[in-house]
Amino acid sequence: MKIKNITALFLILLSIWILLNNQFQIEVMIIGVILSFVISIIMGSRITVFNELKFSLGSVFYTIWYLFVFLAELVKSNLDVARRVLTPSLPINPGIIKTKTVLKSKMGRMILANSITLTPGTLTVDIEDDILYIHCIDVCCEDIDKATAAIVNKFEKILVKIYG
Amino acid sequence: MVKNSLIFIVLIGFAVLLADLFVGFNGNTDLNTLANHYAVSGPEEVGSANLVTAVVVTYRGLDTLGEVTILFLAAAIVSFLLKVEAGASRNRKLRSTSEILDTASKILVPVIFLFGIYVFINGHLSPGGGFQGGAIIASGLVLMLLAQPAKEVGHKLITLVESISGISFVLIGVAGVLFAAGFLDNKLLSLGKFGTIFSAGVIPVIYIFVGLKVGAELSGIITNLQENQNEA
Amino acid sequence: MGNILEIIGAVLVLLGSVFLFLGALGLVRMPDLYNRIQAGTKASTLGTFLTLFGLLLIIPEWWGKLVLLMIFILITNPVSSHVLARAAHYIKIPLTEKTVADLLDKEETTYKVNEEIKNE
Amino acid sequence: MENLNLEIITLITGIILVLIGIWGLLTQKNLIKIVIGFTLFNTGIHIIMVSIGYVKNRTAPIIDQSVNINDVGNSVVDPVPQALVLTAIVIGLGVTALMLTYVLKMYQKRKSLEINNYNDLKW
Amino acid sequence: MINLIIAIVIGVLILIMAIIAVHHKNIVVGIIAAGVVSLFASILYLLLAAPDVAMTEAAIGSGLSTVIFFYVLNKIKRQNG
Amino acid sequence: MVNTLLFISAIIILLAILLTLYRFIKGPTAPDRLVAFDVMTVSSLALIGLIAKFSSRIIYLDVAIVYGLLSFLGVIIVSRYFERGL
């Protein structure tokens, strides 16, 4: 498992190095490879979050699909917030509710929580094992299953395919 | 009353001092002679695209050595003052870290380290250099400590990195005296093609050592100020 | 062709700045801390994202650093607001009166909440 | 509007920032507040130094595609004050850390952050 | 022209923040305000064509110096038990 | 055309920063001010991007990356201080 972890970290660091430099001279690449290798060897033993990545064609496809779903939700959320802010009476109905997730991997849970924070009227306040506490601008339902269906599911069903 | 008027007088005094600066100043339209020399002949003499780096590392290299020494002294005094007597361990009740912050820090810390190293390797091409890179690396350490506050950071490693990079910095300077024109002269290595990563002679090497040294010193200050890092 | 891209980019930048403005307006208008965090985070994230994307369309040569910036913002911004909301709930910053539910059962705080944090 | 230059604006900002910093240093009673005043004073001095090095309508002293290499002397600002400020900021951090350490030590001795309780040298 | 407008607004912001930093009776708010001063100072440096200095100020002024202040404040608070 | 639009957006961003300044002054609690600080950093990140475009220097974006990576440290450390987690 360790090899996979270090490889994933190495690839991520190398692509960041290339994006930073934005040029493909041979010296720059050599330095980048050496640096990413050293950093991923040093940090790789401690950082195990990359273990959960699946290297397959399907996961790449679902990542891109996820990005599209996420961006659409992001725009929707902003229009929602903008509408609420601009209405003079300030139509809000806030509260903190519970939802459940089936994701086990830490990475997947972080991405899920971040997505929830950035989407319509919801903000992750706390996470305890598989319970997510979410602050809503407009509380739909206090029941845990209904809330899960309304808020979490649309992201989760894609993330399950990527992170298992 | 007397105190207030004294404060008032001091403020007025400073205002007058600084206003003097302000009245005579109308904005520059041209560089002065020294700056003009640095700007015009800097690229050929030093080979560094970033003129600030040229000034910091070569033209005023000795000042940089002094400044790194001052920083070292500050870090040493901080660690000396905060040393606690052995056996004074208090058990602290900490609020646990949120899992999201923990995961995010694990992703971001290697990225921050890589970016810090990018900043000081590219010090002669883009803004940045040893001081900024060191600060960024120390910030990565801070993120690590924020996510896992109970973690102990190896003081020995920090001290080791600091001493090795400091000694190497001075040795490069001395090598400049022996093999080239003077202390910290950058023609120790060939200048290379202007604008590429292997250019500007010895500047990238010096900046790597300065970056490691500054990063280690700032990390030392931070780990000393953090609550549970005070082993004797 | 390039001209059209530039104009689209400039419009996107304008849109992004409008979102930033709306976020700041939400920050001013919302009644309690949590709603303020909601308005602030979402609007500022999308606003900055759109601004950088517009710049990407205007100056395509800068794509590397702009893409990196967008990724970093998408990772760091929600994390910081989550940590802030969690801390605020822990030290019992009150929710607004309009609140309908608070299902996060508060753990007993182990220390007395400092007056210095809560008031003025 | 005629003689309202960028460097004049920043110079004024820096000067007033220095004055605010000194005012804070002199009037505040809390030790940490005094250190905050010191950092503001520091920042003000840095802004003054950088704005004195600015040259009208010129760009940063870093040569890449957007600067003509044969005409560097007429297209960049003064690099020397920037180099000085660069190191001064880092040293400022070291000094701030040192001052805060002293504050911590003083607090451990007397359990107080009020400057008025430290009157050993008062005559 | 736009640079002038940005500089004026940022300058005014810096001064307001500095006054808050010195004058506010809550130390936490004072430290945050000092961080904001550093943040905007770094934009001023960028306008003055000094990206090196801006980068240093961004990394040190708003990041590390806030961190150091809060670590010390934390230690002081813990002394009280 | 393009430049005019960008000028207008820069001015709108400045107005947004001024609004957050109002929240910073008003308070009422310290975490409220922290939210204002967060929004300010992100807005100024967008402003830095625009300044880089106005000066047409890509190197200014390095400063923006420093902001993007490190600005959330300030928010996190203050939050951890509030919840006694340092």
Side-chain angles (χ1 to χ4, degrees):
Chain A
M1 279 324 258
K2 216 172 164 185
I3 302 291
K4 187 179 161 190
N5 194 21
I6 290 175
T7 321
L9 189 56
F10 174 74
L11 289 177
I12 290 174
L13 289 180
L14 189 61
S15 46
I16 287 175
W17 178 262
I18 292 169
L19 282 178
L20 271 176
N21 279 286
N22 210 0
Q23 53 184 354
F24 298 95
Q25 291 163 4
I26 188 79
E27 305 102 321
V28 176
M29 295 307 285
I30 291 172
I31 292 180
V33 168
I34 295 173
L35 269 182
S36 327
F37 189 70
V38 169
I39 292 180
S40 49
I41 290 287
I42 293 173
M43 313 289 286
S45 54
R46 211 175 54 81
I47 296 169
T48 49
V49 284
F50 297 106
N51 263 338
E52 295 126 3
L53 288 172
K54 279 185 194 159
F55 290 117
S56 72
L57 204 64
S59 75
V60 172
F61 167 73
Y62 277 114
T63 309
I64 294 168
W65 174 238
Y66 182 77
L67 216 59
F68 276 110
V69 171
F70 170 69
L71 285 180
E73 289 288 330
L74 184 59
V75 173
K76 227 182 353 178
S77 85
N78 275 280
L79 293 178
D80 182 64
V81 169
R83 182 180 62 80
R84 284 177 206 280
V85 167
L86 289 177
T87 316
S89 61
L90 212 61
I92 56 172
N93 186 24
I96 297 179
I97 56 173
K98 270 187 186 177
T99 56
K100 231 185 168 108
T101 174
V102 296
L103 286 174
K104 287 283 175 289
S105 92
K106 284 191 165 186
M107 187 93 165
R109 286 216 288 244
M110 189 202 86
I111 293 177
L112 179 68
N114 274 5
S115 311
I116 287 172
T117 304
L118 289 175
T119 48
T122 51
L123 166 75
T124 319
V125 175
D126 209 343
I127 179 167
E128 275 169 16
D129 296 328
D130 59 345
I131 304 284
L132 287 165
Y133 294 92
I134 292 175
H135 179 267
C136 292
I137 270 188
D138 196 356
V139 174
C140 60
C141 31
E142 295 188 26
D143 184 51
I144 184 164
D145 292 324
K146 274 188 201 162
T148 309
I151 296 170
V152 178
N153 274 3
K154 61 194 170 209
F155 297 121
E156 203 176 64
K157 69 184 179 213
I158 305 174
L159 282 175
V160 161
K161 299 227 170 68
I162 308 176
Y163 295 101
Chain B
M1 193 56 221
V2 178
K3 213 166 115 193
N4 276 342
S5 51
L6 258 178
I7 289 170
F8 193 67
I9 290 171
V10 170
L11 276 180
I12 292 288
F14 266 93
V16 169
L17 264 179
L18 294 170
D20 194 42
L21 194 70
F22 172 66
V23 168
F25 185 70
N26 243 326
N28 303 315
T29 49
D30 212 355
L31 295 178
N32 56 25
T33 347
L34 180 70
N36 201 38
H37 172 78
Y38 287 161
V40 172
S41 52
E44 293 148 35
E45 278 180 15
V46 184
S48 158
N50 186 344
L51 295 175
V52 178
T53 299
V55 175
V56 169
V57 179
T58 51
Y59 291 120
R60 309 259 163 179
L62 212 56
D63 293 7
T64 308
L65 185 61
E67 273 144 3
V68 172
T69 314
I70 293 174
L71 202 58
F72 168 72
L73 276 179
I77 296 173
V78 168
S79 84
F80 171 74
L81 281 177
L82 289 179
K83 199 179 276 182
V84 290
E85 57 279 11
S89 68
R90 352 175 229 289
N91 45 350
R92 310 187 291 148
K93 266 194 176 165
L94 283 183
R95 175 100 199 276
S96 61
T97 320
S98 137
E99 188 194 305
I100 297 170
L101 174 61
D102 196 36
T103 317
S105 84
K106 277 179 180 157
I107 298 171
L108 283 174
V109 166
V111 177
I112 292 179
F113 282 170
L114 184 78
F115 183 64
I117 294 174
Y118 164 82
V119 164
F120 62 67
I121 284 184
N122 277 305
H124 56 297
L125 299 177
S126 63
F131 291 96
Q132 291 94 329
I136 290 169
I137 287 181
S139 309
L141 188 92
V142 168
L143 183 56
M144 214 154 84
L145 282 176
L146 282 180
Q148 293 145 342
K151 194 174 161 56
E152 299 268 341
V153 176
H155 279 251
K156 291 228 171 69
L157 179 71
I158 291 176
T159 324
L160 193 72
V161 170
E162 185 180 349
S163 359
I164 288 178
S165 46
I167 289 170
S168 319
F169 184 28
V170 175
L171 281 184
I172 289 175
V174 174
V177 175
L178 293 181
F179 303 112
F183 193 72
L184 283 175
D185 191 87
N186 76 321
K187 295 205 181 60
L188 202 57
L189 301 171
S190 70
L191 285 188
K193 185 172 169 292
F194 183 80
T196 54
I197 199 160
F198 287 125
S199 68
V202 86
I203 284 181
V205 184
I206 293 178
Y207 250 173
I208 288 173
F209 289 128
V210 171
L212 287 177
K213 191 164 166 59
V214 170
E217 277 155 0
L218 295 181
S219 308
I221 290 178
I222 283 160
T223 49
N224 276 311
L225 287 174
Q226 213 251 356
E227 183 71 12
N228 70 333
Q229 305 282 338
N230 296 328
E231 84 256 54
Chain C
M1 187 57 209
N3 210 1
I4 294 172
L5 265 188
E6 278 191 4
I7 289 174
I8 294 174
V11 171
L12 279 182
V13 171
L14 189 67
L15 209 62
S17 60
V18 168
F19 272 120
L20 280 176
F21 184 79
L22 285 177
L25 197 64
L27 203 65
V28 171
R29 286 202 66 200
M30 287 294 184
D32 74 339
L33 175 73
Y34 306 94
N35 291 314
R36 278 175 206 143
I37 295 177
Q38 295 237 20
T41 322
K42 288 191 236 302
S44 63
T45 311
L46 184 71
T48 314
F49 193 85
L50 280 181
T51 310
L52 296 175
F53 194 70
L55 282 178
L56 181 68
L57 292 185
I58 296 174
I59 315 171
E61 305 93 72
W62 291 7
W63 66 277
K65 283 178 183 172
L66 288 173
V67 167
L68 265 187
L69 263 176
M70 291 183 209
I71 296 172
F72 289 157
I73 288 168
L74 284 187
I75 296 178
T76 59
N77 218 5
V79 171
S80 67
S81 52
H82 156 72
V83 173
L84 177 55
R86 188 170 181 262
H89 198 273
Y90 185 68
I91 60 175
K92 295 178 182 152
I93 298 289
L95 287 100
T96 174
E97 278 119 34
K98 288 182 183 174
T99 308
V100 291
D102 186 1
L103 297 185
L104 176 53
D105 34 356
K106 302 186 177 180
E107 341 163 19
E108 211 40 57
T109 38
T110 49
Y111 66 100
K112 225 172 127 234
V113 173
N114 217 313
E115 282 311 305
E116 121 190 41
I117 296 170
K118 272 201 156 175
N119 55 33
E120 199 34 33
Chain D
M1 221 52 198
E2 210 24 57
N3 50 5
L4 195 62
N5 296 324
L6 188 61
E7 60 267 39
I8 302 283
I9 295 168
T10 49
L11 192 64
I12 295 172
T13 312
I15 289 175
I16 301 178
L17 197 55
V18 167
L19 292 181
I20 292 174
I22 296 172
W23 177 59
L25 269 175
L26 293 177
T27 55
Q28 292 299 315
K29 300 280 185 274
N30 189 313
L31 286 174
I32 293 183
K33 276 287 171 67
I34 293 175
V35 182
I36 292 176
F38 171 77
T39 58
L40 293 180
F41 176 67
N42 222 342
T43 314
I45 293 285
H46 295 158
I47 292 178
I48 291 177
M49 284 174 71
V50 175
S51 37
I52 284 178
Y54 183 74
V55 183
K56 225 171 275 176
N57 296 326
R58 295 200 184 181
T59 183
I62 296 170
I63 302 164
D64 58 1
Q65 292 87 354
S66 49
V67 176
N68 181 6
I69 191 158
N70 297 317
D71 194 27
V72 179
N74 288 323
S75 54
V76 299
V77 303
D78 193 348
V80 181
Q82 295 188 16
L84 296 179
V85 170
L86 183 76
T87 45
I89 290 175
V90 182
I91 290 175
L93 179 73
V95 173
T96 311
L98 200 57
M99 289 170 90
L100 285 171
T101 314
Y102 287 143
V103 170
L104 192 59
K105 274 296 181 192
M106 285 159 87
Y107 185 81
Q108 281 170 356
K109 210 84 182 169
R110 292 274 174 85
K111 298 282 172 216
S112 163
L113 283 177
E114 282 290 308
I115 190 89
N116 287 338
N117 293 346
Y118 295 90
N119 48 9
D120 306 33
L121 283 180
K122 212 169 184 178
W123 66 86
Chain E
M1 189 57 217
I2 187 73
N3 281 2
L4 272 184
I5 298 174
I6 296 176
I8 292 173
V9 174
I10 298 288
V12 171
L13 272 170
I14 284 182
L15 296 181
I16 295 173
M17 280 297 166
I19 291 173
I20 293 175
V22 168
H23 205 67
H24 204 281
K25 62 176 184 284
N26 187 344
I27 294 178
V28 176
V29 176
I31 298 171
I32 300 173
V36 178
V37 169
S38 285
L39 198 92
F40 287 132
S42 109
I43 296 181
L44 273 192
Y45 292 139
L46 211 55
L47 288 176
L48 288 170
D52 289 84
V53 184
M55 197 184 229
T56 323
E57 185 78 44
I60 286 180
S62 57
L64 283 179
S65 98
T66 319
V67 167
I68 288 179
F69 269 108
F70 273 99
Y71 274 141
V72 169
L73 210 54
N74 187 45
K75 277 194 171 227
I76 287 175
K77 282 277 144 27
R78 277 187 190 275
Q79 299 268 316
N80 285 339
Chain F
M1 174 65 191
V2 172
N3 271 340
T4 322
L5 281 178
L6 293 185
F7 279 13
I8 295 170
S9 7
I11 289 170
I12 293 176
I13 292 176
L14 285 179
L15 284 179
I17 293 179
L18 284 180
L19 272 182
T20 51
L21 174 75
Y22 169 78
R23 177 48 71 199
F24 196 99
I25 294 173
K26 191 88 188 309
T29 61
D32 284 307
R33 297 192 165 92
L34 204 53
V35 182
F37 173 67
D38 198 8
V39 176
M40 263 182 208
T41 42
V42 180
S43 317
S44 44
L45 209 156
L47 195 61
I48 288 178
L50 286 179
I51 291 174
K53 164 74 184 76
F54 293 145
S55 336
S56 58
R57 299 298 300 264
I58 186 174
I59 49 176
Y60 288 6
L61 285 184
D62 281 16
V63 182
I65 293 180
V66 174
Y67 265 72
L69 273 179
L70 301 185
S71 68
F72 85 129
L73 266 186
V75 179
I76 288 180
I77 191 153
V78 186
S79 316
R80 297 289 286 163
Y81 169 76
F82 284 155
E83 61 179 14
R84 286 292 191 274
L86 275 182

